[in-house]
Amino acid sequence: MAITEASIYDHDMTYPIHEKNCLVYKLSGHVPARLVLYLLSWSGFLVSFMMRTDINIAIVAMVKDANPQANGGGENTTAQYCFTTTNETIEVTNYGGTLEWSPAIQNYVLTTFYWAYIVSQLVGGWATQRIGTKKVFGYSQLVTALCSLCIPWASEVHYGIVIALRSAQGFASGLTWPAMYALVGHWIPVPERSRFMSSFQGFAIGIGITYPLCGFLIAQFGWQSAFYMTGSSGVIWCLIWYLLAFDNPETHPRISLSEQKYIKENTINSYATSRNRSVPWRAMFKSMPAWSIGITTFGRIWVHYVFIISGPKYMKNILGFSIEKNGFLSGAPFVCSYIASVFFCYVADKLVINQIMSLTNVRKLFTALAQVVPGLLCVVIGYLGCDIVGILICWFIAVTLITAAYAGAMANIVDIAPNFAGPVLAFAQTIHMSASFLSPLASGYIIQDGYTLSDWQTVFNIAAGVACATYIVYQIWGTEEVQPWNDVDSQEHVRENERMINEKSQTTIILQGNEAT
């Protein structure tokens, strides 16, 4: 049967291969390139967050325990502690912790990652515009993985080396989000963007499996095994990324013409033109919609990192859980949150497609679900005292709802500036990721040794206040409208369209020649 251009588009079974300035084709089974990209994004964030959160649970076993009750000291009253069952304290399991790190040193080790993370945000936006997502995301993951593998050795030498390694991990990891956001603008059609954003929730699965898996490994093989596991996973992922990732549909060697055509017709972005255009930083800094995204997500991140970083310490010091139970209960809510994120993003797309709500109102609704409700649940957790069942229920619901942000303010980044989603994300993350170290620093300052309910109540109340107050800014200035500084030169669009038309003409000529032969 003769192959025509129509059959190519109808059956979606051919791949363009660039060879000697012309397009030739081979028949093959086809896996949509967008599906591959989704899986790479999902697994990439999963591995990234495994490598950045392993230490949150491992440090519980790395450092010698300083529980005042276990040492016979402290105020032994159920009004301040949930760590007692009768008049005797429960047994504290020793997991081989030999490091004599003070609470202050532990806070520095945990938070240094996020200081460097913030510094690299604008670098990530700039680098992505210049050299593309494939290199930026891939190399940053590799650096993070190698640092994870070195942490066990560094911990035995000096905590200063651990801080340096965590700083390197933070700087490298800070490049990943702007890089992937830029890819969305080039690859994902507008009707699919909310659903594609659920791939970013691979980070929730990463956290969800890291805590219980590390808890098991620590209990069985020692705390060093946690870092060897996450670092090795990162190196393996980098190899897969190198083989399968491409910066845009035009350079993908296996994408079908019909998929390439569909992407082109449903995106208002051009990879070539956006890379050749300078980032409009000044206009971005003056944009209240961009500021509103950064400010409101500051509140969400504050609450989120109470659960991510301070959570394992709360589980151990207040609820008295073993490392295995701590890992499971700290991680399980994040697995639920991934499932919820897919649901949230699907519902958001349906609300817009069916014109039930405007895109702006959808973004605001899911942003409120992501931070106002979890903030209020933090207050409830603080006042539940030692009601472990009630605490865990509220904990699960709060962490699950936080992921609604990816159908809310986080997806709004691509709405307002699809051509510069990477730089806009870098700008917003420079603002909101400061909460990733301010939140644990504030918690560490308040709770000190972390064994009194009243101190934790203060931590939860502050988190609620920050979450609710910052949402107000987004409610006022959040919008779906593409910002004026996003537009590229219309002549560049014309040239890009002419290039696509010429490529299609060459394709038709080649196919007709093959048919005649």
Side-chain angles (χ1 to χ4, degrees), residues 444-490:
Y445 177 79
I446 294 168
I447 61 180
Q448 295 299 321
D449 57 23
Y451 289 91
T452 60
L453 285 170
S454 59
D455 288 345
W456 280 101
Q457 197 174 83
T458 302
V459 169
F460 290 128
N461 287 343
I462 291 175
V466 173
C468 295
T470 53
Y471 171 75
I472 296 173
V473 178
Y474 188 71
Q475 180 62 38
I476 297 173
W477 284 289
T479 181
E480 67 183 85
E481 295 180 4
V482 176
Q483 299 302 290
W485 41 268
N486 171 77
D487 294 336
V488 295
D489 190 329
S490 59

Side-chain angles (χ1 to χ4, degrees), residues 83 90 315-316 319-323 325-326 329 388 392:
F83 207 57
I90 65 174
M315 294 282 186
K316 177 191 176 186
L319 304 183
F321 292 152
S322 67
I323 193 75
K325 185 180 290 186
N326 190 335
L329 293 175
I388 294 179
L392 293 179

Side-chain angles (χ1 to χ4, degrees), residues 249-291:
E250 289 81 5
T251 59
H252 197 296
R254 293 176 297 276
I255 189 173
S256 69
L257 276 181
S258 60
E259 185 178 10
Q260 190 179 73
K261 178 175 181 288
Y262 171 69
I263 293 171
K264 184 69 179 178
E265 290 176 349
N266 289 277
T267 57
I268 58 174
N269 198 350
S270 167
Y271 176 75
T273 55
S274 63
R275 281 193 65 181
N276 292 331
R277 187 188 179 201
S278 298
V279 178
W281 292 113
R282 180 176 297 180
M284 192 185 303
F285 291 150
K286 294 179 180 179
S287 172
M288 282 310 300
W291 276 97

Side-chain angles (χ1 to χ4, degrees), residues 335-345 400-401 403-404:
V335 176
C336 296
S337 71
Y338 170 73
I339 298 171
S341 72
V342 176
F343 172 75
F344 290 141
C345 292
T400 298
L401 288 177
T403 58

